[in-house]
Amino acid sequence: MTQHDLDLTITKISHRTPGAGGSWVQGKINNEYRFDALVFSEHAECESYELGRSKISKLWIQRLSDRAVMFNFDRGLDVAAVNTEVQVVVDFLCEGLSDLVFGS
């Protein structure tokens, strides 16, 4: 699987209060995975709070078929991508989710 094979569906965007910043984003990838992400328009002041340079501070991915957690990052890595397919999904979301949500 490559990033070109992925079909992203955003199911909900919840903007947080101005003081807290960021937006919670829920969605699906290829109807195989669902995700919740806390995404910001700017990079985190503390680099360790951000997944790479993605502007994502929290990302949870679950396989829909059995509800297994496939990846979890909550201001630090809790569950690494369980396989290369899930890593492709993580990389895809990191590459453009913030731009999609905030129009950058």
Side-chain angles (χ1 to χ4, degrees), residues 11-98:
T11 56
K12 185 176 181 180
I13 298 175
S14 302
H15 300 288
R16 294 172 20 147
T17 61
S23 295
W24 280 104
V25 181
Q26 296 176 334
K28 293 182 181 178
I29 300 285
N30 291 0
N31 257 348
E32 292 180 53
Y33 303 102
R34 73 180 188 124
F35 70 88
D36 290 332
L38 180 56
V39 182
F40 291 85
S41 62
E42 302 292 328
H43 291 290
E45 288 183 22
C46 180
E47 286 186 28
S48 66
Y49 286 177
E50 185 175 342
L51 180 54
R53 297 295 290 157
S54 65
K55 302 177 188 170
I56 296 172
S57 69
K58 298 181 183 206
L59 176 61
W60 172 81
I61 299 174
Q62 179 186 59
R63 185 171 48 213
L64 291 171
S65 64
D66 61 3
R67 297 184 179 206
V69 174
M70 306 303 281
F71 179 86
N72 191 54
F73 180 92
D74 187 347
R75 295 188 179 175
L77 187 61
D78 298 312
V79 177
V82 299
N83 57 39
T84 55
E85 181 174 287
V86 173
Q87 188 61 56
V88 168
V89 171
V90 170
D91 293 344
F92 174 75
L93 293 171
C94 286
E95 188 174 301
L97 190 59
S98 176

